[in-house]
Amino acid sequence: MRLGRSSTCCIIPPVNILLLDQIETRVLGALVEKELTTPEYYPLSLNALVNACNQKSNRDPVMNLDEDAVREAMRSLDKKGLAGAADNMVSRVTKYEHRLQEAYNFTRHETAILAELLLRGPQTPGELRSRAERMHKFDDLGIVQSTLQRLMKREPPLVKLLARQPGMKEARYAHLLSGGVQAAETDTESAPGVASTSSTAGGDRMARLENQVENLESEIANLKQQFAAFRKQFE
């Protein structure tokens, strides 16, 4: 089933109290990801942005958004100063870009971490390091943790540390661009006797495999676009 959007209105909150809905969060995360991973195809056309939002890899949850939903999300993000139409003097097709840098003056580390949280929701530092590597390489886990701390110390905070779930070895971090995080996590320290059934190493291996799949999909998409452009030269 396709997801649509009901029309919303009205008062536009200032940048320091932004609240993004689920579709706006996905659109913003997809724009940031594509700028960092495939800059040669960025900014994105509406069709490319819809495809980026609906990817089955590196997305949680997987969505099936239509063009109207993405277009409406872009209108809302434009009003909030987070994304909008890009200046394009060479193409008649409207293309879109994010404006996180103008709004928050992020470092490359912060941009990659926040994009990963926007696209996949709460994650551990180990998961973030492995999954965000396609956008920016983190030499060690300490850099990820210090980046998360900086995002948490923003005014207002942009990231929150969640309590550990039962059976989980590590706590997860969540972004706050959609407001407070409603989570059922309980700290395992307050629940003695709960065994850890998840290992960081296993999570990192899974994240690396997901990255490899994402990279292969991007390479195939790039090759298709290059072939289409080459074929047009002879039409």
Side-chain angles (χ1 to χ4, degrees), residues 160-191:
K160 176 182 179 179
L161 173 64
L162 304 178
R164 288 198 296 267
Q165 291 180 306
M168 297 296 291
K169 184 177 181 180
E170 292 184 274
R172 299 180 299 162
Y173 291 80
H175 75 84
L176 294 175
L177 288 181
S178 299
V181 180
Q182 300 296 323
E185 291 91 345
T186 56
D187 196 326
T188 54
E189 293 178 358
S190 62

PDB file of all heavy atoms in Angstrom, residues 160-191:
ATOM      1  N   LYS A 160      19.797  11.424  21.565  1.00  0.00           N
ATOM      2  CA  LYS A 160      19.517  10.974  22.930  1.00  0.00           C
ATOM      3  C   LYS A 160      20.017   9.547  23.120  1.00  0.00           C
ATOM      4  O   LYS A 160      19.911   8.710  22.215  1.00  0.00           O
ATOM      5  CB  LYS A 160      18.000  11.014  23.187  1.00  0.00           C
ATOM      6  CG  LYS A 160      17.577  10.470  24.537  1.00  0.00           C
ATOM      7  CD  LYS A 160      16.067  10.513  24.679  1.00  0.00           C
ATOM      8  CE  LYS A 160      15.618   9.952  26.025  1.00  0.00           C
ATOM      9  NZ  LYS A 160      14.142  10.009  26.167  1.00  0.00           N
ATOM     10  N   LEU A 161      20.569   9.270  24.289  1.00  0.00           N
ATOM     11  CA  LEU A 161      20.974   7.910  24.649  1.00  0.00           C
ATOM     12  C   LEU A 161      19.773   7.195  25.248  1.00  0.00           C
ATOM     13  O   LEU A 161      19.158   7.682  26.206  1.00  0.00           O
ATOM     14  CB  LEU A 161      22.118   7.945  25.665  1.00  0.00           C
ATOM     15  CG  LEU A 161      22.550   6.600  26.257  1.00  0.00           C
ATOM     16  CD1 LEU A 161      23.109   5.684  25.177  1.00  0.00           C
ATOM     17  CD2 LEU A 161      23.576   6.817  27.359  1.00  0.00           C
ATOM     18  N   LEU A 162      19.438   6.042  24.683  1.00  0.00           N
ATOM     19  CA  LEU A 162      18.322   5.249  25.181  1.00  0.00           C
ATOM     20  C   LEU A 162      18.803   4.211  26.192  1.00  0.00           C
ATOM     21  O   LEU A 162      19.954   3.771  26.136  1.00  0.00           O
ATOM     22  CB  LEU A 162      17.615   4.536  24.028  1.00  0.00           C
ATOM     23  CG  LEU A 162      17.110   5.421  22.884  1.00  0.00           C
ATOM     24  CD1 LEU A 162      16.476   4.549  21.793  1.00  0.00           C
ATOM     25  CD2 LEU A 162      16.118   6.450  23.388  1.00  0.00           C
ATOM     26  N   ALA A 163      17.919   3.823  27.070  1.00  0.00           N
ATOM     27  CA  ALA A 163      18.246   2.740  28.007  1.00  0.00           C
ATOM     28  C   ALA A 163      18.411   1.435  27.248  1.00  0.00           C
ATOM     29  O   ALA A 163      17.789   1.223  26.201  1.00  0.00           O
ATOM     30  CB  ALA A 163      17.145   2.599  29.049  1.00  0.00           C
ATOM     31  N   ARG A 164      19.268   0.566  27.756  1.00  0.00           N
ATOM     32  CA  ARG A 164      19.507  -0.713  27.069  1.00  0.00           C
ATOM     33  C   ARG A 164      18.274  -1.601  27.144  1.00  0.00           C
ATOM     34  O   ARG A 164      17.586  -1.671  28.152  1.00  0.00           O
ATOM     35  CB  ARG A 164      20.703  -1.436  27.688  1.00  0.00           C
ATOM     36  CG  ARG A 164      22.033  -0.798  27.351  1.00  0.00           C
ATOM     37  CD  ARG A 164      23.169  -1.781  27.593  1.00  0.00           C
ATOM     38  NE  ARG A 164      23.284  -2.145  28.988  1.00  0.00           N
ATOM     39  CZ  ARG A 164      24.084  -1.538  29.858  1.00  0.00           C
ATOM     40  NH1 ARG A 164      24.823  -0.513  29.473  1.00  0.00           N
ATOM     41  NH2 ARG A 164      24.147  -1.936  31.101  1.00  0.00           N
ATOM     42  N   GLN A 165      18.044  -2.309  26.054  1.00  0.00           N
ATOM     43  CA  GLN A 165      16.966  -3.287  26.021  1.00  0.00           C
ATOM     44  C   GLN A 165      17.391  -4.566  26.734  1.00  0.00           C
ATOM     45  O   GLN A 165      18.579  -4.900  26.753  1.00  0.00           O
ATOM     46  CB  GLN A 165      16.594  -3.624  24.579  1.00  0.00           C
ATOM     47  CG  GLN A 165      15.919  -2.494  23.833  1.00  0.00           C
ATOM     48  CD  GLN A 165      15.580  -2.904  22.418  1.00  0.00           C
ATOM     49  OE1 GLN A 165      16.435  -3.353  21.669  1.00  0.00           O
ATOM     50  NE2 GLN A 165      14.324  -2.768  22.042  1.00  0.00           N
ATOM     51  N   PRO A 166      16.433  -5.297  27.289  1.00  0.00           N
ATOM     52  CA  PRO A 166      16.785  -6.581  27.904  1.00  0.00           C
ATOM     53  C   PRO A 166      17.463  -7.504  26.900  1.00  0.00           C
ATOM     54  O   PRO A 166      17.008  -7.655  25.769  1.00  0.00           O
ATOM     55  CB  PRO A 166      15.412  -7.143  28.326  1.00  0.00           C
ATOM     56  CG  PRO A 166      14.546  -5.946  28.485  1.00  0.00           C
ATOM     57  CD  PRO A 166      15.008  -4.971  27.447  1.00  0.00           C
ATOM     58  N   GLY A 167      18.592  -8.095  27.332  1.00  0.00           N
ATOM     59  CA  GLY A 167      19.318  -9.013  26.468  1.00  0.00           C
ATOM     60  C   GLY A 167      20.288  -8.347  25.518  1.00  0.00           C
ATOM     61  O   GLY A 167      21.006  -9.036  24.797  1.00  0.00           O
ATOM     62  N   MET A 168      20.332  -7.028  25.506  1.00  0.00           N
ATOM     63  CA  MET A 168      21.243  -6.312  24.611  1.00  0.00           C
ATOM     64  C   MET A 168      22.480  -5.871  25.376  1.00  0.00           C
ATOM     65  O   MET A 168      22.395  -5.421  26.525  1.00  0.00           O
ATOM     66  CB  MET A 168      20.561  -5.080  24.015  1.00  0.00           C
ATOM     67  CG  MET A 168      19.360  -5.400  23.135  1.00  0.00           C
ATOM     68  SD  MET A 168      19.796  -6.331  21.649  1.00  0.00           S
ATOM     69  CE  MET A 168      20.700  -5.082  20.737  1.00  0.00           C
ATOM     70  N   LYS A 169      23.636  -5.977  24.738  1.00  0.00           N
ATOM     71  CA  LYS A 169      24.896  -5.634  25.388  1.00  0.00           C
ATOM     72  C   LYS A 169      25.145  -4.135  25.393  1.00  0.00           C
ATOM     73  O   LYS A 169      25.718  -3.593  26.335  1.00  0.00           O
ATOM     74  CB  LYS A 169      26.057  -6.346  24.674  1.00  0.00           C
ATOM     75  CG  LYS A 169      27.411  -6.138  25.324  1.00  0.00           C
ATOM     76  CD  LYS A 169      28.479  -6.934  24.607  1.00  0.00           C
ATOM     77  CE  LYS A 169      29.843  -6.741  25.264  1.00  0.00           C
ATOM     78  NZ  LYS A 169      30.899  -7.517  24.561  1.00  0.00           N
ATOM     79  N   GLU A 170      24.720  -3.449  24.330  1.00  0.00           N
ATOM     80  CA  GLU A 170      24.987  -2.020  24.198  1.00  0.00           C
ATOM     81  C   GLU A 170      23.693  -1.220  24.163  1.00  0.00           C
ATOM     82  O   GLU A 170      22.662  -1.695  23.699  1.00  0.00           O
ATOM     83  CB  GLU A 170      25.757  -1.739  22.910  1.00  0.00           C
ATOM     84  CG  GLU A 170      27.167  -2.259  22.886  1.00  0.00           C
ATOM     85  CD  GLU A 170      27.866  -1.828  21.610  1.00  0.00           C
ATOM     86  OE1 GLU A 170      27.730  -2.531  20.607  1.00  0.00           O
ATOM     87  OE2 GLU A 170      28.521  -0.773  21.627  1.00  0.00           O
ATOM     88  N   ALA A 171      23.777   0.011  24.657  1.00  0.00           N
ATOM     89  CA  ALA A 171      22.663   0.939  24.529  1.00  0.00           C
ATOM     90  C   ALA A 171      22.662   1.549  23.141  1.00  0.00           C
ATOM     91  O   ALA A 171      23.670   1.554  22.445  1.00  0.00           O
ATOM     92  CB  ALA A 171      22.766   2.032  25.590  1.00  0.00           C
ATOM     93  N   ARG A 172      21.523   2.066  22.734  1.00  0.00           N
ATOM     94  CA  ARG A 172      21.388   2.666  21.419  1.00  0.00           C
ATOM     95  C   ARG A 172      21.174   4.174  21.539  1.00  0.00           C
ATOM     96  O   ARG A 172      20.756   4.688  22.574  1.00  0.00           O
ATOM     97  CB  ARG A 172      20.206   2.039  20.676  1.00  0.00           C
ATOM     98  CG  ARG A 172      20.356   0.538  20.447  1.00  0.00           C
ATOM     99  CD  ARG A 172      19.149  -0.014  19.701  1.00  0.00           C
ATOM    100  NE  ARG A 172      17.931   0.198  20.470  1.00  0.00           N
ATOM    101  CZ  ARG A 172      16.700   0.151  19.942  1.00  0.00           C
ATOM    102  NH1 ARG A 172      16.537  -0.074  18.657  1.00  0.00           N
ATOM    103  NH2 ARG A 172      15.648   0.349  20.713  1.00  0.00           N
ATOM    104  N   TYR A 173      21.447   4.864  20.437  1.00  0.00           N
ATOM    105  CA  TYR A 173      21.236   6.304  20.354  1.00  0.00           C
ATOM    106  C   TYR A 173      20.155   6.586  19.321  1.00  0.00           C
ATOM    107  O   TYR A 173      20.051   5.885  18.310  1.00  0.00           O
ATOM    108  CB  TYR A 173      22.525   7.015  19.958  1.00  0.00           C
ATOM    109  CG  TYR A 173      23.599   6.990  21.014  1.00  0.00           C
ATOM    110  CD1 TYR A 173      24.394   5.854  21.193  1.00  0.00           C
ATOM    111  CD2 TYR A 173      23.824   8.091  21.852  1.00  0.00           C
ATOM    112  CE1 TYR A 173      25.386   5.817  22.170  1.00  0.00           C
ATOM    113  CE2 TYR A 173      24.820   8.072  22.818  1.00  0.00           C
ATOM    114  CZ  TYR A 173      25.599   6.933  22.965  1.00  0.00           C
ATOM    115  OH  TYR A 173      26.576   6.907  23.936  1.00  0.00           O
ATOM    116  N   ALA A 174      19.366   7.635  19.561  1.00  0.00           N
ATOM    117  CA  ALA A 174      18.296   8.017  18.644  1.00  0.00           C
ATOM    118  C   ALA A 174      18.364   9.519  18.373  1.00  0.00           C
ATOM    119  O   ALA A 174      18.787  10.292  19.235  1.00  0.00           O
ATOM    120  CB  ALA A 174      16.932   7.654  19.225  1.00  0.00           C
ATOM    121  N   HIS A 175      17.938   9.924  17.186  1.00  0.00           N
ATOM    122  CA  HIS A 175      17.877  11.360  16.894  1.00  0.00           C
ATOM    123  C   HIS A 175      16.614  11.958  17.505  1.00  0.00           C
ATOM    124  O   HIS A 175      15.650  11.250  17.810  1.00  0.00           O
ATOM    125  CB  HIS A 175      17.911  11.606  15.380  1.00  0.00           C
ATOM    126  CG  HIS A 175      16.623  11.296  14.682  1.00  0.00           C
ATOM    127  ND1 HIS A 175      15.565  12.190  14.604  1.00  0.00           N
ATOM    128  CD2 HIS A 175      16.201  10.192  14.028  1.00  0.00           C
ATOM    129  CE1 HIS A 175      14.569  11.661  13.947  1.00  0.00           C
ATOM    130  NE2 HIS A 175      14.920  10.444  13.583  1.00  0.00           N
ATOM    131  N   LEU A 176      16.610  13.269  17.684  1.00  0.00           N
ATOM    132  CA  LEU A 176      15.487  13.964  18.312  1.00  0.00           C
ATOM    133  C   LEU A 176      14.826  14.963  17.366  1.00  0.00           C
ATOM    134  O   LEU A 176      14.066  15.825  17.819  1.00  0.00           O
ATOM    135  CB  LEU A 176      15.961  14.683  19.575  1.00  0.00           C
ATOM    136  CG  LEU A 176      16.436  13.776  20.715  1.00  0.00           C
ATOM    137  CD1 LEU A 176      17.005  14.608  21.862  1.00  0.00           C
ATOM    138  CD2 LEU A 176      15.306  12.885  21.213  1.00  0.00           C
ATOM    139  N   LEU A 177      15.078  14.867  16.078  1.00  0.00           N
ATOM    140  CA  LEU A 177      14.462  15.786  15.137  1.00  0.00           C
ATOM    141  C   LEU A 177      12.965  15.534  14.985  1.00  0.00           C
ATOM    142  O   LEU A 177      12.255  16.363  14.424  1.00  0.00           O
ATOM    143  CB  LEU A 177      15.137  15.694  13.764  1.00  0.00           C
ATOM    144  CG  LEU A 177      16.538  16.298  13.672  1.00  0.00           C
ATOM    145  CD1 LEU A 177      17.082  16.162  12.254  1.00  0.00           C
ATOM    146  CD2 LEU A 177      16.532  17.762  14.082  1.00  0.00           C
ATOM    147  N   SER A 178      12.500  14.401  15.481  1.00  0.00           N
ATOM    148  CA  SER A 178      11.065  14.112  15.454  1.00  0.00           C
ATOM    149  C   SER A 178      10.451  14.231  16.844  1.00  0.00           C
ATOM    150  O   SER A 178       9.352  13.733  17.092  1.00  0.00           O
ATOM    151  CB  SER A 178      10.807  12.711  14.895  1.00  0.00           C
ATOM    152  OG  SER A 178      11.276  12.611  13.572  1.00  0.00           O
ATOM    153  N   GLY A 179      11.155  14.883  17.748  1.00  0.00           N
ATOM    154  CA  GLY A 179      10.658  15.041  19.110  1.00  0.00           C
ATOM    155  C   GLY A 179      11.162  13.949  20.018  1.00  0.00           C
ATOM    156  O   GLY A 179      12.093  13.212  19.700  1.00  0.00           O
ATOM    157  N   GLY A 180      10.523  13.815  21.177  1.00  0.00           N
ATOM    158  CA  GLY A 180      10.939  12.823  22.166  1.00  0.00           C
ATOM    159  C   GLY A 180      10.805  11.412  21.639  1.00  0.00           C
ATOM    160  O   GLY A 180       9.917  11.107  20.847  1.00  0.00           O
ATOM    161  N   VAL A 181      11.692  10.547  22.057  1.00  0.00           N
ATOM    162  CA  VAL A 181      11.693   9.155  21.616  1.00  0.00           C
ATOM    163  C   VAL A 181      10.869   8.332  22.586  1.00  0.00           C
ATOM    164  O   VAL A 181      11.146   8.279  23.784  1.00  0.00           O
ATOM    165  CB  VAL A 181      13.128   8.598  21.542  1.00  0.00           C
ATOM    166  CG1 VAL A 181      13.107   7.140  21.085  1.00  0.00           C
ATOM    167  CG2 VAL A 181      13.968   9.445  20.613  1.00  0.00           C
ATOM    168  N   GLN A 182       9.834   7.696  22.060  1.00  0.00           N
ATOM    169  CA  GLN A 182       9.019   6.808  22.879  1.00  0.00           C
ATOM    170  C   GLN A 182       9.554   5.401  22.725  1.00  0.00           C
ATOM    171  O   GLN A 182       9.430   4.787  21.672  1.00  0.00           O
ATOM    172  CB  GLN A 182       7.546   6.858  22.438  1.00  0.00           C
ATOM    173  CG  GLN A 182       6.918   8.227  22.551  1.00  0.00           C
ATOM    174  CD  GLN A 182       6.859   8.702  23.985  1.00  0.00           C
ATOM    175  OE1 GLN A 182       6.628   7.917  24.901  1.00  0.00           O
ATOM    176  NE2 GLN A 182       7.075   9.996  24.191  1.00  0.00           N
ATOM    177  N   ALA A 183      10.205   4.894  23.745  1.00  0.00           N
ATOM    178  CA  ALA A 183      10.817   3.576  23.645  1.00  0.00           C
ATOM    179  C   ALA A 183      10.488   2.757  24.876  1.00  0.00           C
ATOM    180  O   ALA A 183      10.318   3.278  25.962  1.00  0.00           O
ATOM    181  CB  ALA A 183      12.331   3.703  23.487  1.00  0.00           C
ATOM    182  N   ALA A 184      10.419   1.451  24.687  1.00  0.00           N
ATOM    183  CA  ALA A 184      10.085   0.558  25.792  1.00  0.00           C
ATOM    184  C   ALA A 184      11.325  -0.059  26.395  1.00  0.00           C
ATOM    185  O   ALA A 184      11.253  -1.019  27.154  1.00  0.00           O
ATOM    186  CB  ALA A 184       9.152  -0.551  25.298  1.00  0.00           C
ATOM    187  N   GLU A 185      12.509   0.501  26.059  1.00  0.00           N
ATOM    188  CA  GLU A 185      13.750  -0.075  26.545  1.00  0.00           C
ATOM    189  C   GLU A 185      13.828   0.039  28.064  1.00  0.00           C
ATOM    190  O   GLU A 185      13.443   1.020  28.641  1.00  0.00           O
ATOM    191  CB  GLU A 185      14.967   0.638  25.946  1.00  0.00           C
ATOM    192  CG  GLU A 185      15.149   0.389  24.474  1.00  0.00           C
ATOM    193  CD  GLU A 185      14.437   1.440  23.650  1.00  0.00           C
ATOM    194  OE1 GLU A 185      13.600   2.165  24.230  1.00  0.00           O
ATOM    195  OE2 GLU A 185      14.724   1.533  22.451  1.00  0.00           O
ATOM    196  N   THR A 186      14.372  -1.006  28.699  1.00  0.00           N
ATOM    197  CA  THR A 186      14.663  -0.956  30.119  1.00  0.00           C
ATOM    198  C   THR A 186      16.109  -1.319  30.305  1.00  0.00           C
ATOM    199  O   THR A 186      16.661  -2.154  29.605  1.00  0.00           O
ATOM    200  CB  THR A 186      13.784  -1.955  30.913  1.00  0.00           C
ATOM    201  OG1 THR A 186      13.970  -3.258  30.369  1.00  0.00           O
ATOM    202  CG2 THR A 186      12.315  -1.572  30.837  1.00  0.00           C
ATOM    203  N   ASP A 187      16.746  -0.697  31.253  1.00  0.00           N
ATOM    204  CA  ASP A 187      18.178  -0.886  31.458  1.00  0.00           C
ATOM    205  C   ASP A 187      18.440  -2.261  32.028  1.00  0.00           C
ATOM    206  O   ASP A 187      17.856  -2.662  33.032  1.00  0.00           O
ATOM    207  CB  ASP A 187      18.686   0.183  32.430  1.00  0.00           C
ATOM    208  CG  ASP A 187      20.197   0.307  32.388  1.00  0.00           C
ATOM    209  OD1 ASP A 187      20.852  -0.730  32.176  1.00  0.00           O
ATOM    210  OD2 ASP A 187      20.695   1.421  32.562  1.00  0.00           O
ATOM    211  N   THR A 188      19.334  -3.019  31.407  1.00  0.00           N
ATOM    212  CA  THR A 188      19.618  -4.364  31.885  1.00  0.00           C
ATOM    213  C   THR A 188      20.294  -4.339  33.249  1.00  0.00           C
ATOM    214  O   THR A 188      20.285  -5.333  33.960  1.00  0.00           O
ATOM    215  CB  THR A 188      20.542  -5.093  30.885  1.00  0.00           C
ATOM    216  OG1 THR A 188      21.715  -4.304  30.655  1.00  0.00           O
ATOM    217  CG2 THR A 188      19.845  -5.316  29.567  1.00  0.00           C
ATOM    218  N   GLU A 189      20.882  -3.187  33.613  1.00  0.00           N
ATOM    219  CA  GLU A 189      21.491  -3.111  34.932  1.00  0.00           C
ATOM    220  C   GLU A 189      20.443  -3.203  36.027  1.00  0.00           C
ATOM    221  O   GLU A 189      20.727  -3.593  37.154  1.00  0.00           O
ATOM    222  CB  GLU A 189      22.282  -1.807  35.059  1.00  0.00           C
ATOM    223  CG  GLU A 189      23.499  -1.757  34.156  1.00  0.00           C
ATOM    224  CD  GLU A 189      24.227  -0.439  34.271  1.00  0.00           C
ATOM    225  OE1 GLU A 189      23.741   0.435  35.022  1.00  0.00           O
ATOM    226  OE2 GLU A 189      25.276  -0.290  33.622  1.00  0.00           O
ATOM    227  N   SER A 190      19.195  -2.813  35.703  1.00  0.00           N
ATOM    228  CA  SER A 190      18.128  -2.880  36.697  1.00  0.00           C
ATOM    229  C   SER A 190      17.379  -4.201  36.610  1.00  0.00           C
ATOM    230  O   SER A 190      16.387  -4.400  37.289  1.00  0.00           O
ATOM    231  CB  SER A 190      17.142  -1.722  36.488  1.00  0.00           C
ATOM    232  OG  SER A 190      16.528  -1.824  35.219  1.00  0.00           O
ATOM    233  N   ALA A 191      17.833  -5.090  35.747  1.00  0.00           N
ATOM    234  CA  ALA A 191      17.191  -6.385  35.594  1.00  0.00           C
ATOM    235  C   ALA A 191      18.232  -7.480  35.713  1.00  0.00           C
ATOM    236  O   ALA A 191      18.666  -8.058  34.730  1.00  0.00           O
ATOM    237  CB  ALA A 191      16.479  -6.475  34.240  1.00  0.00           C
TER     238      ALA A 191
END
